[in-house]
Amino acid sequence: MPSAAFEAAAADVKNLKSKPTDEQLLELYGLYKQATAGDNDTTRPGTFDFKGKYKWDAWTALKGTSEADAEQKYIDLVNKLKEEHGF
């Protein structure tokens, strides 16, 4: 069960004044999925699903990271993005 701080960070990231880079968005996605669902055990999307493959790769790269560690890294990244992009 995600912590209140994690839930708050997930809500805050939707209210940034400017959009994070694609790389930052993929990092957020991977950390969020790892924190909420654990290791990725799904099959990689097909050849023409480029966005799906990037997201799958971002999540799979975190395999072995504990849900608690992913949650803290997500919160830390959101705090960095709030400083960088405004909130």
Side-chain angles (χ1 to χ4, degrees):
M1 183 96 192
S3 70
F6 178 79
E7 295 291 343
D12 288 351
V13 79
K14 296 175 185 174
N15 296 311
L16 296 174
K17 289 184 178 178
S18 63
K19 182 182 176 197
T21 66
D22 289 342
E23 291 80 18
Q24 291 169 328
L25 290 171
L26 286 170
E27 186 177 0
L28 282 168
Y29 176 82
L31 288 168
Y32 183 88
K33 291 295 283 184
Q34 189 69 21
T36 58
D39 288 343
N40 185 358
D41 61 358
T42 63
T43 57
R44 192 165 193 249
T47 306
F48 297 106
D49 184 0
F50 298 110
K51 185 176 179 180
K53 285 193 294 188
Y54 284 121
K55 290 168 77 174
W56 189 92
D57 289 344
W59 182 13
T60 301
L62 297 167
K63 191 171 195 164
T65 303
S66 75
E67 292 176 17
D69 285 347
E71 187 175 306
Q72 187 57 54
K73 288 178 183 177
Y74 182 90
I75 293 167
D76 293 343
L77 178 57
V78 169
N79 288 334
K80 177 184 165 201
L81 293 176
K82 285 165 67 174
E83 291 176 16
E84 190 176 309
H85 294 276
F87 178 72

